Amino acid sequence: MPNEMTIEENVLYIEALSHALRDEMRHDPSVMLMGQDIAGHGGAFKITKGFLDEFGPQRVRNTPIAESGTIGIATGAAILGQRPVIEMQFADFISCGFNQLVNVAAKMYWRTECSVPLVIRMPGGGGMGAGAFHSQNVESWFLHSPGLKVVAPAFSDDAYRLLRSAIKDPNPVIYFEHKFLYRRERTDLKGTEIGDRVVGEANVRRSGQHLTSISWGWMTHRVLEAAEIMAAEGIEIEVIDLPVLSPLDLDPILQSIEKTEHVAITHEATRTCGFGAELAARISDEAIWNLDGPVRRITYPDSPSPFNKKLEADRIPSVDVICDGWRQALQS
Amino acid sequence: MPNEMTIEENVLYIEALSHALRDEMRHDPSVMLMGQDIAGHGGAFKITKGFLDEFGPQRVRNTPIAESGTIGIATGAAILGQRPVIEMQFADFISCGFNQLVNVAAKMYWRTECSVPLVIRMPGGGGMGAGAFHSQNVESWFLHSPGLKVVAPAFSDDAYRLLRSAIKDPNPVIYFEHKFLYRRERTDLKGTEIGDRVVGEANVRRSGQHLTSISWGWMTHRVLEAAEIMAAEGIEIEVIDLPVLSPLDLDPILQSIEKTEHVAITHEATRTCGFGAELAARISDEAIWNLDGPVRRITYPDSPSPFNKKLEADRIPSVDVICDGWRQALQS
Amino acid sequence: MMDQPANSSPSNTGAPPEVSPAAAWLDTGSDHALREMHAYMRLTREWDLRYEKMFKTGALSKWYSSVGNEAATVAAASAIEKGDALVSLHRDAGAILRHYVNIETLIPEIFPSNMNLIRQPLGGDSRERLFRLACQMLGRQHGYSAGHERSYHYNHMEPEHGLIHIGMISHLGSMIPVAAGAALSFQQQKSDRVAINFIGEGATSTGDFHEGLNIASVWKLPFILIIENNHWAFSTPTSQQYACDNLASRAIGYGMAGVEVDGNDPIAMHQVMQEAVQRARSGEGPTLVEAHVGRHRGHSEGDDSLDQVPGDELRGYLENDPMDLIETRMVNSGIVSRAWLEEIREKCAALIMEVVDEAMSMPEPEPNSDRSIHAE
Amino acid sequence: MMDQPANSSPSNTGAPPEVSPAAAWLDTGSDHALREMHAYMRLTREWDLRYEKMFKTGALSKWYSSVGNEAATVAAASAIEKGDALVSLHRDAGAILRHYVNIETLIPEIFPSNMNLIRQPLGGDSRERLFRLACQMLGRQHGYSAGHERSYHYNHMEPEHGLIHIGMISHLGSMIPVAAGAALSFQQQKSDRVAINFIGEGATSTGDFHEGLNIASVWKLPFILIIENNHWAFSTPTSQQYACDNLASRAIGYGMAGVEVDGNDPIAMHQVMQEAVQRARSGEGPTLVEAHVGRHRGHSEGDDSLDQVPGDELRGYLENDPMDLIETRMVNSGIVSRAWLEEIREKCAALIMEVVDEAMSMPEPEPNSDRSIHAE
Ligand SMILES: Cc1ncc(C[n+]2csc(CCOP(=O)(O)OP(=O)(O)O)c2C)c(N)n1
Ligand SMILES: Cc1ncc(C[n+]2csc(CCOP(=O)(O)OP(=O)(O)O)c2C)c(N)n1
Ligand SMILES: [Mg+2]
Ligand SMILES: [Mg+2]
């Protein structure tokens, strides 16, 4: 089968996802899609529009409303040679398939040495006043569940490349795609080589010597905006984006901190036991002597997401809040 | 109704749980129990043996094997005035009721101002070669889910007192009881006053000036053993036990660190995004200038629990591993 | 192999099942019953049309329409009383309005003065409830969730009036056990109250549907689950959702009562509900009601999911619009005139317009990221 | 209200349903069929008795006995072939042994040389499989999970012999969708292979039972779910687990085939399974089989859960021990003598003893906390 890559300029994040799925389905006949309304309708976000026509109803399957059953069935099929990609209609609904994911799929390889090449696409995150059940950022549950890999790209090119890698990877991969970025983020797809495994990645998206910022998903965009503002004040932020949360590539972070001596983590997930905590713990364990101040966490509070947009905006780290957090980190 | 307290010497942890349930059921007729095999059989661990006879089948209900349905039904009943206490047969099975817990029960008060006085008893933890599905320590999932309170007592007296408080509390409380302690831990029940809310508690169980140790559940007992060994070497560990993980009482921890300048967290849960990470993050955020070394985490690796006892023992922090961790923390 | 139950439904052609005759017990009062059902159905229809319009003008970011569900939901809620629990989903404005509002206090001339209402109305302030409901839809401070939750995602309790209403969370199926739990609380308290809950046919595929109904039946809870089968879940037809002839047959597997009914006929629906409520009150356990309704709109306003519905099928639904059916029936049997129906429509529309406009002018909530996640 | 299906089962009295006659297709070969079933049932019985004894002497920390389930499990596995997937639970030693082991290669004199086996055996080394199975039970390095997982919690694949076996996780119900997923892989690959899976009657209350069966039926997957209904889940009787007359009736709600069968009769069971497998292979979708078996032991060895089972009921189970039933039948119809049955018993016991002793002498795994959680 052809292993063609989409090379295109200025590609929307959401289109990058479509391209990745289509290219990988053309390349590998064992790839199949499952999810609610993904067939004729093309999914709640139309990412698989047209796929039914191209790949047929065996490979593009509408599922009943049954997240647990769907993940379980995909796991069984994956053990026996299929490569299912499941679309959660919204990331929030994963809680209904939680057991299948953390106990069946995640532990399968360790327990049995049978691999489970399964991808779960998770349209997640807030910013659109979608309320408590369509806005959550739940990566931490899965980072605390050994056996899963976790991806959360911020840019179209990473989204394309990592979705294809995730499908090729023999392990269950939880793939967080941010709804707010779907139609806002654009990058060129340059044909960067595609790995057949998801490996840790920590990418410096902007260099600076005063403070290391760590983020992923939507927040990386806010962080980059905030870094511009700080630059105008003469403060240079080193922006590290983590398109892959697990496995974690810690080295670039530690190297950056050696230079900056200050670090702040920004995430949209709620604070307690979020991935920011793990990063802060790792950093203060391995780099405490390089730190000239505490590791700051700039996060959502421990609260559900409000429907009212003003209330929601009050909780998501804004560019201002990020700048303030950094200023405090630099003062202390 | 009488609000009698059990006052008794040398009470097994498991008996403390029975006493708390019985005393609270006698006190408050709205308390009801639900769980698999809890009625005639008295539960997998016999904690409710005899309850069916005393309280009758309306208040002591065997449930079908349906964790999600059970939690949902309990939530509905709790909104309308009942105080259900659910026994998970093993803590691990909570994954099957995960959505009900984190999305329905946990968020209910914030969303609607209807309170959900619900307790879920979670016989958890390892040490008995019970394998990947009867040994897990999953507190972190719930600490990352706003709206829940989380309890994890190490001693019989705390277990008694906090189970009663948890039942009185108007919020959903996840109550981790450690199976390894059931028939090994004994303390006197002295009639300590019982709060009608679960509030943060961080209790100094041994004083020392060289290093602050934080732990909960079974690990506190290993930590206390390890502290004896260190004392013989002239190193005094301050042992802080956290019977309540959420809300968190951070102050005693910070005060202790001011004195010791070194801190180590020991937990049986897997490492990444465990509660140790949150504690480490909080501590290095708020007390970095008091620290004379990184915050150490002594934890289970990111791995499921093996069935073979030797393999399992190799993963659970042992007294030796704890001592080593402390020695390293003190050297750095 | 198991026998298939005798009364399997017609498969999902556009047309709803044949109209059942009105119940015998309603015969003498059937004029009244029709007028009562109609008034609430009309109020509900105007409620939805208003928000549909606001969605189109951009004043609202999302709307799930309950157009087509009015007969089923209004009739269902007509069967419950003070102290019963209503647990609603996203297309149940009819049930909410029927339960919250005494329409004759808002539009006094709507019924003849000698008219008997099917059930005794709840006390309390109907106008205020309706107004707060509008505020809730619009995310205003004065709404039932003070802007924290969207549309029907709220609870509202007025213990003094025996009003118990638990709203939905998004995760479909989840509310079934919760509603059964409300029924459990009645059983524990030895009261004869009941809980009713709605679900779409799509969400019958969830594990919670199964776990909730099974426990409810084993425990003989006073619980009624009404499936609003509009034959589509978002863009997914029933043929891709389930393979059984009808969903009411699932009741067999739970050992509970199961009934299939034409949800476009409020009188048939009400009869089925009355029987189910009676069964529940007398300790005989839960009932599963499958009410067939039409799919009149897209899944939510502004999406193109209606494109998936074949033209013939859609036409069938529109031709069997429960509003049209009841109005034709009322006119044909000489209960009211077309002109009077038009007057009612205008009065209902005006009331809704007034209330919604007022709600629009209300303040949004102030930032409060410290809203407590715990009851103190 | 829905009709109840006609053939509801006797309620849970001790006695199993009446013994059905052997299938017509087996008539000519029924001596052979009985001998084959019996040999594997006996091997399974001795397997369990051995571990029960080891539990009593403390050599084993936990054991879930499958005594009483042998007819159902052996007969079920007799219906599958090379390339089919077996997904087993905690009382399915019979299915595993039947599928893994060619008993005539281990005990060559067990069958007359002209005997036709119901199905063609898998290739490969039966003795080694049995031995590794024993190592698995004992947490030894040489077991299928190298000591990482307990008892039947493992997978074993021998692609070269078409052996596909997926074991359980503890969380009941979870394996139903996974097994249906194995069936999906066959459908995707356009093969005519099938997947079979077992579940206790208690675990039919889980959401995954519902979600898995519903999807399997909508997608017409080649899947068979066998309920081993021993009328108790740990200490919980069926009256506290479900309220329907029989669980096979749930098939109606999924639009799939459902059959109730006497699980103490391996010939009746095998016939039902043959039909179900045939249905699956020819694309007609899944079957739900409810096999009634007896509860002979406590939930797990050493617990007192058998105390909950009323004496009469227990006596009924013991009097209908499938081992006794088949042996009496074989002796009464003159196929074999009591003495020969005793010889078989001794040979099976000796084989198991030998294999288990050997496994006991094998090394435990070495500490390896870095065992990979990811496939590389
Ligand atoms: C557990 C869960 N999965 C997916 C969704 C997304 N979703 C929202 S509505 C809907 C379709 C519901 O169809 P149905 O139950 O038939 O109700 P209808 O909208 O037709 O009234 C879906 C799939 C959800 N809300 N919850
Ligand atoms: C989801 C889940 N909840 C609870 C348990 C605990 N548990 C183990 S076996 C068992 C009873 C099973 O009964 P049944 O399904 O009838 O099988 P049997 O043991 O009778 O063969 C229970 C409740 C579990 N394993 N999984
Ligand atoms: Mg629908
Ligand atoms: Mg059973």
Side-chain angles (χ1 to χ4, degrees):
Chain A
M1 300 285 149
N3 198 353
E4 273 165 29
M5 284 213 240
T6 301
I7 301 181
E8 210 175 292
E9 284 179 17
N10 222 13
V11 176
L12 274 177
Y13 189 96
I14 198 165
E15 287 166 0
L17 298 172
S18 289
H19 284 313
L21 288 172
R22 193 181 299 104
D23 290 349
E24 203 54 30
M25 286 190 80
R26 286 179 182 165
H27 169 55
D28 180 351
S30 68
V31 178
M32 60 185 295
L33 309 185
M34 300 181 189
Q36 291 149 20
D37 306 291
I38 64 162
H41 191 68
F45 300 101
K46 299 299 177 80
I47 290 170
T48 56
K49 189 78 193 170
F51 280 51
L52 178 64
D53 289 340
E54 178 169 355
F55 301 107
Q58 293 287 112
R59 293 184 65 196
V60 183
R61 289 183 183 239
N62 272 353
T63 63
I65 303 176
E67 284 76 10
S68 183
T70 301
I71 297 173
I73 285 182
T75 300
I79 292 173
L80 296 185
Q82 300 301 304
R83 291 189 174 263
V85 181
I86 296 176
E87 175 175 292
M88 287 286 115
Q89 199 153 87
F90 287 84
D92 307 64
F93 300 137
I94 195 67
S95 50
C96 296
F98 194 73
N99 177 61
Q100 282 289 347
L101 201 46
V102 304
N103 278 321
V104 186
K107 296 186 171 70
M108 187 64 75
Y109 183 77
W110 184 91
R111 294 174 52 242
T112 69
E113 290 177 359
C114 286
S115 63
V116 180
L118 169 66
V119 177
I120 306 200
R121 290 184 34 236
M122 307 269 281
M128 285 148 296
F133 305 105
H134 287 73
S135 309
Q136 295 174 74
N137 293 277
V138 296
E139 60 271 15
S140 181
W141 289 337
F142 303 108
L143 292 162
H144 189 58
S145 303
L148 303 173
K149 294 188 175 185
V150 180
V151 174
F155 301 96
S156 302
D157 51 356
D158 286 346
Y160 176 81
R161 186 174 50 80
L162 286 168
L163 182 47
R164 294 198 65 179
S165 296
I167 298 173
K168 293 175 197 290
D169 195 294
N171 296 287
V173 180
I174 315 301
Y175 185 99
F176 286 93
E177 30 190 74
H178 204 295
K179 303 189 299 285
F180 192 86
L181 298 178
Y182 274 175
R183 303 189 173 282
R184 290 180 178 88
E185 145 64 14
R186 288 179 182 278
T187 334
D188 298 345
L189 303 189
K190 293 190 179 138
T192 318
E193 213 192 322
I194 288 171
D196 60 0
R197 295 292 184 277
V198 169
V199 296
E201 292 186 24
N203 301 326
V204 178
R205 287 275 174 176
R206 179 188 178 111
S207 303
Q209 70 273 29
H210 295 119
L211 181 144
T212 302
S213 160
I214 311 171
S215 60
W216 53 94
W218 179 25
M219 287 301 107
T220 291
H221 295 270
R222 288 215 160 157
V223 158
L224 285 167
E225 245 186 89
E228 287 291 329
I229 293 174
M230 297 299 278
E233 298 176 15
I235 297 167
E236 292 298 339
I237 307 292
E238 180 136 308
V239 176
I240 297 187
D241 174 60
L242 296 181
V244 178
L245 306 184
S246 170
L248 174 64
D249 184 13
L250 195 64
D251 282 346
I253 294 173
L254 297 179
Q255 277 161 28
S256 173
I257 291 171
E258 240 175 82
K259 176 174 62 176
T260 62
E261 297 179 0
H262 292 89
V263 61
I265 302 147
T266 303
H267 66 61
E268 197 190 337
T270 56
R271 188 177 192 83
T272 300
C273 288
F275 191 47
E278 177 65 26
L279 287 168
R282 292 287 299 268
I283 291 166
S284 46
D285 192 11
E286 306 202 22
I288 194 166
W289 305 123
N290 294 328
L291 285 175
D292 192 27
V295 183
R296 283 273 153 209
R297 286 183 292 162
I298 304 165
T299 73
Y300 211 89
D302 285 336
S303 149
S305 297
F307 167 58
N308 182 289
K309 279 196 184 186
K310 283 200 307 191
L311 298 187
E312 187 192 22
D314 185 39
R315 285 165 171 79
I316 302 173
S318 65
V319 171
D320 284 351
V321 165
I322 294 168
C323 288
D324 281 353
W326 288 344
R327 284 188 199 105
Q328 279 171 31
L330 287 164
Q331 263 154 34
S332 60
Chain B
M1 300 288 151
N3 198 354
E4 273 166 29
M5 283 214 241
T6 301
I7 301 181
E8 210 177 291
E9 286 180 15
N10 221 11
V11 176
L12 274 178
Y13 190 97
I14 198 165
E15 286 166 1
L17 298 172
S18 289
H19 284 312
L21 288 173
R22 193 181 300 104
D23 290 349
E24 204 53 31
M25 286 189 81
R26 286 179 182 164
H27 170 55
D28 181 349
S30 68
V31 178
M32 61 183 295
L33 309 185
M34 300 181 189
Q36 292 149 20
D37 306 292
I38 64 162
H41 191 67
F45 300 100
K46 299 298 176 80
I47 289 170
T48 57
K49 189 79 193 169
F51 280 51
L52 178 64
D53 289 341
E54 179 170 354
F55 301 105
Q58 293 285 113
R59 293 183 66 197
V60 182
R61 289 183 183 238
N62 273 353
T63 63
I65 303 176
E67 285 76 10
S68 183
T70 301
I71 297 173
I73 284 181
T75 299
I79 291 174
L80 296 185
Q82 301 300 304
R83 291 189 174 264
V85 181
I86 296 175
E87 175 175 294
M88 287 285 116
Q89 199 154 86
F90 287 84
D92 309 64
F93 300 137
I94 195 66
S95 52
C96 296
F98 194 73
N99 178 60
Q100 282 289 347
L101 200 47
V102 304
N103 278 321
V104 186
K107 297 186 171 69
M108 187 64 74
Y109 183 76
W110 183 91
R111 293 175 52 242
T112 70
E113 288 176 0
C114 286
S115 63
V116 180
L118 169 66
V119 177
I120 305 199
R121 291 184 34 237
M122 307 268 280
M128 283 149 296
F133 305 105
H134 287 74
S135 309
Q136 294 174 75
N137 294 277
V138 296
E139 61 270 15
S140 180
W141 290 337
F142 303 108
L143 293 163
H144 189 59
S145 303
L148 304 172
K149 295 189 175 184
V150 180
V151 175
F155 301 97
S156 302
D157 51 355
D158 286 346
Y160 175 81
R161 185 174 51 79
L162 287 168
L163 182 49
R164 294 198 66 178
S165 296
I167 299 172
K168 293 176 197 290
D169 195 293
N171 297 287
V173 181
I174 314 301
Y175 184 99
F176 286 93
E177 28 188 78
H178 204 295
K179 303 189 300 281
F180 193 86
L181 298 178
Y182 274 173
R183 303 190 174 281
R184 291 181 178 86
E185 146 64 14
R186 288 181 182 277
T187 334
D188 298 345
L189 302 189
K190 294 189 178 139
T192 317
E193 212 192 322
I194 289 173
D196 61 1
R197 295 292 184 275
V198 169
V199 296
E201 292 187 25
N203 301 327
V204 178
R205 287 275 174 176
R206 179 189 180 111
S207 303
Q209 70 273 30
H210 295 120
L211 180 144
T212 302
S213 160
I214 311 172
S215 59
W216 53 93
W218 179 24
M219 287 301 107
T220 291
H221 295 271
R222 287 215 160 158
V223 158
L224 285 167
E225 245 185 274
E228 287 291 331
I229 293 174
M230 297 298 279
E233 298 176 15
I235 296 168
E236 291 299 338
I237 307 292
E238 181 136 308
V239 175
I240 298 187
D241 175 59
L242 296 181
V244 178
L245 306 184
S246 170
L248 174 64
D249 184 13
L250 196 64
D251 281 347
I253 294 172
L254 297 178
Q255 278 160 28
S256 173
I257 291 170
E258 239 174 81
K259 174 174 65 177
T260 62
E261 299 181 357
H262 291 90
V263 59
I265 301 148
T266 303
H267 66 61
E268 197 191 336
T270 55
R271 189 177 190 85
T272 300
C273 286
F275 191 48
E278 178 64 26
L279 288 168
R282 293 286 299 267
I283 291 167
S284 45
D285 191 12
E286 306 202 22
I288 194 166
W289 306 123
N290 294 329
L291 285 175
D292 191 26
V295 183
R296 282 274 152 208
R297 287 184 291 164
I298 304 165
T299 74
Y300 211 90
D302 285 336
S303 148
S305 297
F307 167 58
N308 182 288
K309 278 197 183 185
K310 283 200 307 191
L311 298 187
E312 188 192 22
D314 185 40
R315 284 163 171 78
I316 301 174
S318 66
V319 171
D320 284 351
V321 164
I322 295 169
C323 289
D324 281 354
W326 289 342
R327 284 188 200 106
Q328 280 171 30
L330 287 164
Q331 263 156 33
S332 59
Chain C
M1 203 170 321
M2 303 310 300
D3 295 334
Q4 296 297 321
N7 58 340
S8 19
S9 73
S11 50
N12 306 325
T13 58
E18 248 183 294
V19 174
S20 326
W25 68 267
L26 274 179
D27 264 4
T28 53
S30 67
D31 289 8
H32 290 186
L34 282 171
R35 290 191 75 147
E36 182 177 348
M37 295 295 175
H38 172 264
Y40 283 99
M41 285 170 62
R42 176 51 72 193
L43 188 71
T44 307
R45 174 65 55 99
E46 298 307 319
W47 172 263
D48 264 295
L49 293 178
R50 183 83 200 104
Y51 293 103
E52 289 180 3
K53 191 163 291 168
M54 291 177 75
F55 176 84
K56 281 197 190 91
T57 62
L60 205 65
S61 65
K62 189 122 196 154
W63 190 252
Y64 293 90
S65 174
S66 68
V67 165
N69 294 47
E70 298 93 342
T73 53
V74 166
S78 299
I80 61 168
E81 295 173 4
K82 195 168 156 157
D84 292 329
L86 167 65
V87 186
S88 62
L89 218 67
H90 56 299
R91 304 201 197 276
D92 300 328
I96 295 170
L97 292 173
R98 179 67 190 85
H99 200 55
Y100 276 27
V101 167
N102 301 324
I103 197 167
E104 67 281 13
T105 67
L106 300 177
I107 310 177
E109 62 279 31
I110 200 163
F111 299 139
S113 61
N114 65 345
M115 199 176 112
N116 299 318
L117 288 177
I118 289 178
R119 67 170 179 84
Q120 290 312 308
L122 302 180
D125 186 341
S126 291
R127 180 62 166 68
E128 173 69 6
R129 281 192 201 128
L130 187 62
F131 172 55
R132 289 194 66 193
L133 192 62
C135 290
Q136 171 63 30
M137 298 302 115
L138 300 169
R140 295 305 197 268
Q141 176 66 36
H142 199 59
Y144 292 115
S145 72
H148 287 75
E149 263 282 34
R150 61 149 80 158
S151 62
Y152 300 110
H153 294 217
Y154 71 93
N155 298 355
H156 180 52
M157 308 286 178
E158 291 180 27
E160 66 284 18
H161 298 117
L163 172 53
I164 302 176
H165 176 209
I166 300 177
M168 64 188 288
I169 77 158
S170 294
H171 293 61
L172 293 168
S174 309
M175 298 313 294
I176 297 173
V178 176
L184 172 63
S185 78
F186 300 139
Q187 191 182 68
Q188 292 300 96
Q189 292 150 14
K190 307 211 176 352
S191 110
D192 68 349
R193 297 297 86 188
V194 307
I196 73 168
N197 181 208
F198 298 86
I199 194 77
E201 92 293 342
T204 63
S205 302
T206 60
D208 272 1
F209 170 88
H210 177 71
E211 296 194 4
L213 284 185
N214 183 52
I215 304 177
S217 185
V218 172
W219 291 358
K220 283 200 174 301
L221 298 181
F223 175 54
I224 298 151
L225 181 66
I226 300 136
I227 302 171
E228 295 170 272
N229 190 341
N230 64 1
H231 312 120
W232 291 85
F234 201 158
S235 75
T236 302
T238 53
S239 60
Q240 293 174 25
Q241 192 71 245
Y242 55 80
C244 51
D245 285 330
N246 59 73
L247 290 168
S249 69
R250 290 203 176 151
I252 297 169
Y254 303 117
M256 65 167 68
V259 204
E260 197 175 9
V261 62
D262 176 5
N264 286 331
D265 179 348
I267 304 300
M269 180 75 193
H270 183 72
Q271 180 186 13
V272 159
M273 284 296 300
Q274 278 283 107
E275 288 169 9
V277 167
Q278 189 45 43
R279 199 175 292 126
R281 293 210 201 287
S282 58
E284 290 168 59
T287 302
L288 178 63
V289 176
E290 179 181 17
H292 289 276
V293 299
R295 176 82 184 274
H296 293 240
R297 296 288 193 266
H299 175 62
S300 73
E301 293 308 290
D303 72 20
D304 59 356
S305 58
L306 212 55
D307 294 357
Q308 302 294 317
V309 182
D312 277 2
E313 182 177 337
L314 183 59
R315 216 166 307 118
Y317 294 139
L318 299 179
E319 281 166 9
N320 287 286
D321 183 326
M323 255 356 285
D324 294 345
L325 291 182
I326 194 170
E327 295 196 338
T328 304
R329 191 161 160 185
M330 290 168 80
V331 171
N332 288 354
S333 50
I335 305 175
V336 291
S337 67
R338 285 271 168 215
W340 177 233
L341 290 175
E342 178 55 20
E343 254 183 73
I344 294 185
R345 199 195 59 69
E346 278 167 19
K347 283 181 203 295
C348 288
L351 173 64
I352 298 292
M353 173 84 88
E354 178 191 303
V355 166
V356 172
D357 282 353
E358 205 179 318
M360 277 296 279
S361 73
M362 294 294 286
E364 297 194 35
E366 290 304 315
N368 66 344
S369 54
D370 57 349
R371 179 176 165 106
S372 180
I373 54 175
H374 294 308
E376 299 303 333
Chain D
M1 201 171 322
M2 302 312 300
D3 296 334
Q4 296 297 323
N7 56 342
S8 20
S9 74
S11 50
N12 306 324
T13 58
E18 249 185 294
V19 174
S20 326
W25 68 267
L26 272 178
D27 265 5
T28 52
S30 67
D31 290 8
H32 289 185
L34 281 172
R35 291 191 75 147
E36 183 177 348
M37 295 295 176
H38 172 264
Y40 282 100
M41 286 170 62
R42 176 50 73 192
L43 188 70
T44 307
R45 174 66 55 99
E46 299 306 319
W47 172 263
D48 264 295
L49 293 178
R50 183 83 201 101
Y51 292 104
E52 289 180 3
K53 189 162 292 168
M54 290 176 75
F55 175 84
K56 284 199 189 90
T57 63
L60 204 65
S61 64
K62 189 124 197 153
W63 189 252
Y64 293 90
S65 174
S66 68
V67 165
N69 294 47
E70 298 94 340
T73 53
V74 166
S78 298
I80 60 168
E81 295 173 2
K82 194 168 158 160
D84 291 329
L86 167 66
V87 186
S88 63
L89 217 67
H90 56 299
R91 304 201 198 276
D92 299 328
I96 295 170
L97 292 173
R98 180 67 191 85
H99 200 55
Y100 276 28
V101 165
N102 302 324
I103 197 169
E104 67 280 12
T105 67
L106 300 177
I107 310 177
E109 62 279 31
I110 200 163
F111 298 139
S113 61
N114 66 344
M115 199 177 111
N116 298 319
L117 288 177
I118 289 176
R119 68 170 180 83
Q120 291 312 309
L122 301 179
D125 186 341
S126 291
R127 179 64 166 68
E128 173 69 6
R129 282 191 201 127
L130 187 63
F131 172 56
R132 290 194 65 191
L133 192 63
C135 290
Q136 172 62 31
M137 298 302 115
L138 301 169
R140 295 305 196 271
Q141 175 67 35
H142 198 60
Y144 292 116
S145 71
H148 287 75
E149 264 281 35
R150 62 149 78 157
S151 62
Y152 299 109
H153 294 217
Y154 71 92
N155 298 355
H156 180 51
M157 307 285 179
E158 291 179 25
E160 65 283 19
H161 299 116
L163 173 51
I164 302 176
H165 176 209
I166 299 176
M168 64 188 288
I169 78 158
S170 293
H171 293 61
L172 292 168
S174 309
M175 298 312 295
I176 297 174
V178 176
L184 172 62
S185 78
F186 299 139
Q187 191 182 69
Q188 293 299 98
Q189 292 152 13
K190 309 211 176 350
S191 110
D192 69 348
R193 296 298 85 187
V194 308
I196 74 170
N197 181 208
F198 298 86
I199 194 77
E201 92 293 343
T204 63
S205 302
T206 60
D208 273 1
F209 171 88
H210 178 70
E211 296 195 4
L213 285 186
N214 183 52
I215 304 177
S217 184
V218 172
W219 290 358
K220 284 203 172 300
L221 298 181
F223 175 54
I224 298 151
L225 181 66
I226 300 136
I227 302 171
E228 296 171 271
N229 190 341
N230 64 2
H231 312 119
W232 291 85
F234 200 157
S235 75
T236 303
T238 53
S239 61
Q240 293 174 24
Q241 192 73 244
Y242 55 81
C244 51
D245 286 329
N246 60 71
L247 290 168
S249 69
R250 291 203 175 149
I252 297 168
Y254 303 117
M256 63 168 68
V259 204
E260 198 177 8
V261 62
D262 175 4
N264 286 331
D265 179 349
I267 304 299
M269 180 75 193
H270 183 72
Q271 182 187 11
V272 159
M273 284 298 298
Q274 278 283 107
E275 286 168 10
V277 166
Q278 187 46 41
R279 199 176 292 126
R281 293 209 201 287
S282 57
E284 290 168 59
T287 301
L288 178 62
V289 176
E290 179 182 16
H292 289 277
V293 299
R295 175 83 184 271
H296 293 240
R297 297 288 194 266
H299 175 61
S300 72
E301 294 307 291
D303 72 22
D304 60 356
S305 58
L306 212 55
D307 293 357
Q308 302 294 318
V309 182
D312 278 2
E313 182 177 336
L314 183 59
R315 215 165 310 118
Y317 294 140
L318 299 179
E319 282 167 8
N320 287 286
D321 182 324
M323 253 359 283
D324 295 344
L325 291 181
I326 194 170
E327 294 195 338
T328 303
R329 190 163 160 185
M330 289 169 81
V331 171
N332 288 354
S333 51
I335 304 175
V336 291
S337 66
R338 284 270 168 215
W340 177 233
L341 289 175
E342 179 54 22
E343 253 182 75
I344 293 183
R345 199 197 59 69
E346 278 167 19
K347 283 182 204 295
C348 287
L351 173 64
I352 299 292
M353 173 83 90
E354 177 191 304
V355 166
V356 172
D357 283 354
E358 204 178 321
M360 279 295 279
S361 72
M362 293 295 286
E364 296 193 37
E366 290 304 316
N368 65 344
S369 53
D370 57 348
R371 178 174 164 108
S372 180
I373 54 175
H374 293 308
E376 300 304 333

